[in-house]
Amino acid sequence: MNTGDPTGGIQVLSDRSDQVWTKGSGKAFVCDKKSAAGSVTQRACAFCGSRVVLYPIADALHIVHGPIGCAVYNWDIRGALSSGPQLHRNSFSTDLAEKEVVFGGEKKLKASLIELIDYYKPKAAFVYSTCIVGVIGDDVEAICKVVTKETGIDVIPVDSPGFKGTKRSGYQAACEAAYRLVGTGSTENLGKYTINLMGEFNIAGEAWMIRRYFEQIGIEVVATITGDGRVDDLRRCHGAKLNLVQCSGSMTHLAKLLKDEHGIPMQRVSFFGFEDTARAIYAAAEFFGDPEIMRKAQELVRSEIAKFAPQIRDYKKKLKGKKAALYVGGAFKAFSLVLALRALGMKTVLAGTQTGSAEDYEQLKEICDEGTVIVDDSNPLELAKFVIEKDVDLFIGGVKERPVAYKLGVAFCDHNHERKIPLAGFEGMLSFAEEVAASVLSPVWKFVPRREALAVAAFEEARKGEGK
Amino acid sequence: MISGMEHKNPDLFTVSGVRVQGAPPEAATRNACKLCSPLGAAMVFNGIRGCLPFLHGSQGCATYIRRYMISHFREPVDIASSSFTEDDAIFGGARNFENGVENVIAQYSPECVGVATTCLSETIGENMIGMIKDFQKNHADKGPPLIHVSTPAYTGTHSDGYYAAIREVVAAFAEPCKERDVTRVNILPAMMSCEDLRHLRELCTIYGLEATVLPDYSTRLEGSSWGEYNRIPPGGTSIDEIKSMGDAAATIEFGHLVANRIDSAGMLLEKRSGSRRHALGWPIGIKLSDQLFTSLAIVSGKRMPESIAFDRGRVVDAYVDAHKYVSGKKAVVYGEPDLVIGLASFLSEIGIRPVVCATGSKGKGWKDLIASEIEGGMEDVLALSGADHAKIAEAAREVKPDLLLGSSKGYPLARELNVPLVRIGFPIHDRFGGQRQLSVGYRGTLALFDRLVNAVMESKQEDSKTGYSYL
């Protein structure tokens, strides 16, 4: 059916019309609410949220208590690297069968934990509750206590049944679980200038790059939470003087606990793009107020930007004027991406996130241009609608957004946790530019139907002009 | 950095980088070799024209399954959910269900909605049939039909969900025979690639038969580039076609496990309409393909066409040409039960011993099913059911195979053992074109055989000090 409207007249569901906003429209905007049933949200569930946050702690055992699906769909799908243990890359599950659903899964959980701990010798264990466990009422906390006593390692329940709120509630459950380790280790031998890097997941080794920047200017990183995470680092992370929170959606709760209980201030930062990376480094340097650190920071930023700026300039020449759409997990990242795209000469015409907070969106709205569409908790139909209407050249998102872009003949850049290319920091900005250019400038787009249609329209327009 | 450890299978080391010791854990599943049953149902619903899958439960299930299918097919896969909250888990999700289906209708205008349950909705005892009836009553029976399949993930695997969904679709729509059409045949495939489904249809055409393939996701999950947005991608078997399946001359139903069931979709069609069922194995290799072509000959009343006889001849010729490169080799095969049985049959006819035949499904008589398809006895063959990848790896370390056959999930083991992995089945998410792989019939056997022989030769070449270019 060709209606002449390539979106087929897709309408935003009335249940969520206040979650779609256009800059300059003056309309109200709502976020942070649960997904409308049947909306085909791109979000997962509370379980997913908790699992995403904690699993990069590489020397802990992570076991999913429930039937198999929940565990199997996230077996080693993410790009968080470890500099040592690889235990987190396994998928352990109690794989509950009907019998256990009826009679309870406590016995199986206990046996599983004892055997796995004995075999893999982890430093701690996390037990993730799934929907089923939330319903059948296994006393996970009690089992964890017993196993802690029997094995001598901390076995920590993560209260994350899928139905329990949104993905954000899962983040909160993860922070609560991680916090149980905080304060249990010695903070002796920690230097004067110390920070924790929070909400950094070490995708493709990004935490290592960022850690190097700080070490270079004389700041010690106590813990990277949770990418390349270690149980012992969590135990003593309360000894740091400052928390830099990158993925604010996932880590704000833990940072708040550290602030309230241990008096450690937090700052939201981002390491995507030159501007934000520099700003983050300066923020830390300023915090410690040591002119020597500030001098080193300035030197680092200057030399790093000098190293990569010429190549970025070349890409900018080629990408100037292209239009981008982005749909990512958290809004703070979206904010950085708008700036990074601007640095490449590109304009963001659609920006959205799965789990942004009101505060995040305020900032996002501010930096976007007039006419930019902002969406919260969107779905494939809406994303397709705006991709077509705004005639975008590039989509930035994750695996679930990729086919929406590709089907419509739009370039794509993967910017979620499954990617295997580091995009953070100064050198990350270069890989970002490379990846964007590799897709946007590919010759394949001239074959896609959308381009043909645009060419025909342009031809018709030109012919009409001649006729006058 | 613990030296060398990062190249090894993560299931093999303690957190301090020491090789694990002692009795392997038994209670927990370590790296599952199965997926959950709603995924199988979602696959089937993607093979029905205009059908939108809908999972009744938490939204994570739908999102996870979408993500998983997208990474294999690289196509849009929209699955709706009733997005349970805590209240729904306590008081029931009827309101969410109704609201969710309304939203789906508003957004997608589906021709039908495929409703599958999840662990959660099954456990709290949702009355799906009642809810569907209520929905239809409240909407004056004007909405699209709703198909329901029960898929609690704590019983069975994706494979069970797949067959159950086909059965429910047939049960819901297929009508008794009105007028027997001897030129029509029903194909009930196993969870095969898009190319396999296309090939099965093409084979029927060559025999002068028009096939109703259920499900047929071959267009929907491997389509062309779009100029306008298709809310539900084109392709699939229409409800009208399904209604008239009873008119077909016969039904060809694939899979050893299904063959043994008295309540399979094929059996149901036979009982309801007299359309005779041919229960066949997954047609990989000459022997199992021969059975398919025999069935096609019986149904159509035609002898094997020359072109197909030629295809068969080419397979035999290829087997002979390359036999020395594979003869006596040992393989580890894992995945969906029916696929593993098919592969075991194929391997044993080319002289490869399928020394480990593993599936994550639990089923009685697994060893017997394997034994029925391989030659030379079972003495050196380990038939593992209810296995996970850690168990498969333990068995593989003992037998030191020359190659692995199965999904991308065998990669850590292939890397550890430094042997080739011939990717087949679902999911294939570390290579392109899993959906375009042909593996069924003579032509599929030939394609699979080439992939396999070349994998062995490539590894021989890679391992050679000289680096021969003329093997």
Side-chain angles (χ1 to χ4, degrees):
Chain A
M1 186 180 58
N2 195 342
T3 55
D5 172 10
T7 68
I10 294 168
Q11 300 290 321
V12 174
L13 274 177
S14 58
D15 282 3
R16 39 171 283 100
S17 59
D18 52 3
Q19 286 168 282
V20 179
W21 183 85
T22 306
K23 181 157 180 175
S25 68
K27 238 180 69 181
F29 179 71
V30 169
C31 64
D32 207 5
K33 66 181 211 183
K34 74 182 194 73
S35 307
S39 67
V40 191
T41 170
Q42 305 291 84
R43 282 177 183 166
C45 53
F47 161 74
C48 171
S50 71
R51 177 100 173 110
V52 169
V53 170
L54 291 177
Y55 106 102
I57 302 171
D59 57 356
L61 177 86
H62 302 270
I63 182 165
V64 179
H65 187 33
I68 199 63
C70 310
V72 80
Y73 296 120
N74 50 44
W75 173 19
D76 202 21
I77 62 171
R78 291 173 176 258
L81 299 185
S82 162
S83 54
Q86 304 291 325
L87 192 61
H88 66 303
R89 298 184 55 200
N90 291 292
S91 163
F92 300 120
S93 169
T94 47
D95 188 3
L96 294 182
E98 194 159 17
K99 186 178 71 193
E100 286 114 15
V101 172
V102 176
F103 298 107
E106 292 178 2
K107 251 195 211 158
K108 195 171 192 183
L109 174 60
K110 189 186 166 196
S112 297
L113 280 166
I114 300 267
E115 284 181 349
L116 291 170
I117 291 166
D118 187 45
Y119 199 63
Y120 293 107
K121 314 217 177 316
K123 296 279 189 263
F126 291 102
V127 181
Y128 303 77
S129 290
T130 58
C131 290
I132 284 295
V133 172
V135 169
I136 64 175
D138 276 1
D139 193 346
V140 177
E141 179 91 47
I143 301 290
C144 288
K145 260 189 202 142
V146 172
V147 179
T148 299
K149 215 168 162 196
E150 275 185 38
T151 59
I153 69 160
D154 284 313
V155 180
I156 301 164
V158 188
D159 184 23
S160 55
F163 57 79
K164 215 170 178 183
T166 62
K167 198 170 169 184
R168 284 175 79 89
S169 332
Y171 294 157
Q172 180 129 345
C175 289
E176 294 282 342
Y179 191 67
R180 292 206 190 192
L181 290 169
V182 174
T184 57
S186 163
T187 56
E188 270 175 53
N189 308 325
L190 287 181
K192 228 162 90 186
Y193 304 133
T194 51
I195 60 169
N196 294 315
L197 278 176
M198 301 177 70
E200 165 50 52
F201 293 92
N202 201 32
I203 306 301
E206 288 172 343
W208 301 332
M209 290 158 46
I210 299 166
R211 186 187 264 268
R212 205 169 53 233
Y213 297 149
F214 286 106
E215 283 169 358
Q216 229 169 306
I217 64 172
I219 292 174
E220 184 185 344
V221 178
V222 181
T224 51
I225 308 170
T226 57
D228 199 17
R230 295 294 182 275
V231 170
D232 284 344
D233 291 346
L234 266 176
R235 289 189 192 283
R236 61 179 200 142
C237 75
H238 61 295
K241 303 281 192 313
L242 173 69
N243 286 323
L244 293 184
V245 181
Q246 174 162 244
C247 175
S248 57
S250 64
M251 277 290 147
T252 301
H253 186 62
L254 183 59
K256 214 173 152 287
L257 289 170
L258 279 160
K259 185 166 174 246
D260 294 347
E261 306 285 320
H262 298 276
I264 309 170
M266 64 169 276
Q267 281 187 18
R268 298 217 300 177
V269 294
S270 164
F271 293 95
F272 292 114
F274 285 172
E275 270 184 83
D276 281 357
T277 305
R279 200 176 290 149
I281 293 168
Y282 289 146
E286 211 162 275
F287 175 82
F288 291 112
D290 181 330
E292 178 60 12
I293 288 187
M294 188 47 98
R295 192 190 58 76
K296 279 186 183 162
Q298 282 162 347
E299 197 181 289
L300 171 85
V301 170
R302 232 191 336 262
S303 78
E304 287 289 322
I305 290 181
K307 216 189 304 177
F308 300 111
Q311 293 165 78
I312 298 288
R313 266 200 298 277
D314 288 345
Y315 281 118
K316 189 175 175 176
K317 270 185 217 148
K318 294 175 188 159
L319 294 167
K320 204 169 167 39
K322 302 276 184 193
K323 289 182 278 184
L326 50 99
Y327 190 74
V328 291
F332 210 65
K333 183 159 84 183
F335 181 75
S336 283
L337 283 172
V338 172
L339 295 181
L341 286 165
R342 202 169 278 163
L344 293 177
M346 297 176 69
K347 200 176 149 183
T348 303
V349 292
L350 167 69
T353 85
Q354 286 179 24
T355 59
S357 66
E359 191 189 4
D360 294 327
Y361 278 117
E362 272 318 305
Q363 230 170 335
L364 187 59
K365 283 162 148 183
E366 209 168 289
I367 59 150
C368 281
D369 298 317
E370 284 285 303
T372 299
V373 173
I374 292 182
V375 289
D376 176 57
D377 184 21
S378 197
N379 56 50
L381 290 190
E382 280 173 21
L383 294 174
K385 172 186 166 75
F386 294 118
V387 161
I388 293 171
E389 285 178 3
K390 297 279 175 186
D391 187 27
V392 306
D393 301 285
L394 171 74
F395 199 110
I396 298 181
V399 179
K400 293 189 298 290
E401 288 79 32
R402 191 176 58 204
V404 172
Y406 282 173
K407 268 293 164 200
L408 295 171
V410 171
F412 183 79
C413 168
D414 191 353
H415 208 300
N416 76 346
H417 279 198
E418 295 175 28
R419 68 195 153 82
K420 307 295 181 278
I421 302 167
L423 301 177
F426 299 105
E427 54 185 290
M429 181 60 194
L430 182 61
S431 18
F432 178 65
E434 276 169 358
E435 195 180 336
V436 167
S439 194
V440 172
L441 304 175
S442 164
V444 300
W445 307 120
K446 65 175 177 283
F447 298 109
V448 303
R450 191 172 65 107
R451 286 286 161 232
E452 279 170 24
L454 289 175
V456 169
F459 175 76
E460 291 292 328
E461 198 61 31
R463 212 180 48 169
K464 255 192 255 164
E466 267 171 30
K468 269 178 198 166
Chain B
M1 180 113 30
I2 298 165
S3 134
M5 188 172 142
E6 68 277 13
H7 298 299
K8 297 288 169 54
N9 201 341
D11 78 18
L12 198 61
F13 290 87
T14 71
V15 294
S16 7
V18 183
R19 234 182 127 111
V20 285
Q21 279 171 354
E26 288 292 329
T29 293
R30 296 177 293 150
N31 303 332
C33 182
K34 60 181 174 182
L35 302 156
C36 69
S37 46
L39 180 135
M43 286 282 290
V44 172
F45 294 145
N46 269 288
I48 297 172
R49 204 181 79 179
C51 179
L52 199 87
F54 187 106
L55 297 189
H56 190 49
S58 298
Q59 67 194 26
C61 309
T63 308
Y64 273 143
I65 290 171
R66 288 179 61 206
R67 196 219 76 90
Y68 222 70
M69 286 178 66
I70 288 170
S71 80
H72 175 89
F73 290 104
R74 296 170 192 274
E75 293 283 317
V77 179
D78 288 8
I79 301 173
S81 157
S82 39
S83 297
F84 264 57
T85 59
E86 203 152 15
D87 285 353
D88 306 313
I90 297 166
F91 302 112
R95 212 173 31 118
N96 269 33
F97 176 74
E98 173 147 10
N99 186 226
V101 177
E102 277 168 359
N103 278 342
V104 162
I105 293 169
Q107 285 203 111
Y108 288 88
S109 319
E111 290 176 46
C112 69
V113 179
V115 182
T117 52
T118 60
C119 308
L120 176 59
S121 54
E122 287 284 342
T123 308
I124 65 171
E126 291 281 87
N127 174 10
M128 290 311 299
I129 294 170
M131 275 157 53
I132 288 173
K133 272 195 187 137
D134 284 348
F135 182 87
Q136 279 158 345
K137 208 165 59 195
N138 295 347
H139 293 76
D141 291 318
K142 277 188 182 146
L146 272 60
I147 315 165
H148 164 237
V149 55
S150 164
T151 45
Y154 45 76
T155 57
T157 68
H158 62 297
S159 173
D160 298 290
Y162 183 86
Y163 293 125
I166 300 179
R167 195 166 61 242
E168 294 302 335
V169 172
V170 166
F173 297 112
E175 292 168 359
C177 176
K178 286 199 195 77
E179 198 184 349
R180 186 72 58 210
D181 183 348
V182 294
T183 66
R184 283 185 55 197
V185 63
N186 302 318
I187 300 282
L188 303 178
M191 211 164 112
M192 295 165 174
S193 78
C194 295
E195 191 69 24
D196 288 338
L197 299 187
R198 281 192 286 271
H199 188 54
L200 288 173
R201 184 187 293 285
E202 185 191 21
L203 289 175
C204 294
T205 311
I206 295 173
Y207 276 87
L209 294 167
E210 197 193 326
T212 302
V213 181
L214 178 70
D216 182 4
Y217 42 76
S218 65
T219 316
R220 181 143 159 196
L221 295 178
E222 195 197 351
S224 60
S225 207
W226 295 348
E228 54 193 83
Y229 200 75
N230 295 294
R231 294 174 210 225
I232 298 179
T237 316
S238 72
I239 300 282
D240 283 343
E241 269 181 278
I242 299 166
K243 281 184 179 163
S244 64
M245 281 173 92
D247 294 347
T251 299
I252 295 178
E253 185 167 41
F254 291 102
H256 280 68
L257 265 65
V258 181
N260 289 334
R261 293 190 69 131
I262 49 159
D263 63 344
S264 75
M267 285 297 272
L268 196 70
L269 274 167
E270 187 170 288
K271 270 187 219 153
R272 196 175 280 186
S273 67
S275 178
R276 210 189 131 210
R277 176 174 86 138
H278 295 241
L280 306 177
W282 194 305
I284 293 181
I286 292 178
K287 183 178 141 190
L288 292 177
S289 296
D290 280 350
Q291 292 173 5
L292 166 63
F293 289 103
T294 305
S295 281
L296 287 172
I298 292 169
V299 177
S300 66
K302 291 194 174 96
R303 294 189 56 182
M304 183 181 279
E306 217 166 280
S307 66
I308 290 180
F310 261 129
D311 282 345
R312 190 181 191 280
R314 285 188 192 103
V315 179
V316 176
D317 193 57
Y319 276 12
V320 171
D321 287 347
H323 74 278
K324 265 192 203 170
Y325 291 96
V326 294
S327 182
K329 296 263 189 268
K330 290 183 288 186
V332 168
V333 192
Y334 58 87
E336 261 204 86
D338 286 314
L339 175 63
V340 171
I341 298 167
L343 287 171
S345 168
F346 160 68
L347 291 173
S348 64
E349 63 184 34
I350 62 173
I352 295 183
R353 290 300 283 166
V355 286
V356 177
C357 295
T359 179
S361 292
K362 275 183 195 148
K364 280 182 200 144
W366 176 242
K367 193 173 175 182
D368 293 340
L369 285 168
I370 297 289
S372 70
E373 291 302 341
I374 63 173
E375 289 153 29
M378 289 288 284
E379 245 166 59
D380 56 341
V381 176
L382 189 60
L384 295 173
S385 72
D388 56 30
H389 277 279
K391 283 210 186 78
I392 296 168
E394 276 153 21
R397 284 171 199 128
E398 291 282 314
V399 298
K400 300 195 171 34
D402 300 291
L403 73 159
L404 314 177
L405 281 97
S407 74
S408 292
K409 290 300 177 194
Y411 180 64
L413 178 61
R415 188 173 156 105
E416 176 197 333
L417 302 174
N418 192 29
V419 297
L421 167 63
V422 176
R423 288 168 179 78
I424 184 167
F426 179 91
I428 297 175
H429 46 44
D430 63 341
R431 287 291 183 277
F432 270 83
Q435 69 277 50
R436 287 185 285 280
Q437 278 187 1
L438 180 64
S439 316
V440 300
Y442 301 134
R443 225 176 285 166
T445 299
L446 192 54
L448 174 63
F449 183 71
D450 284 342
R451 291 204 297 275
L452 187 156
V453 173
N454 285 333
V456 171
M457 290 181 88
E458 187 179 331
S459 119
K460 195 179 161 87
Q461 198 167 26
E462 292 288 304
D463 292 346
S464 127
K465 279 193 185 124
T466 317
Y468 288 112
S469 58
Y470 186 85
L471 281 167

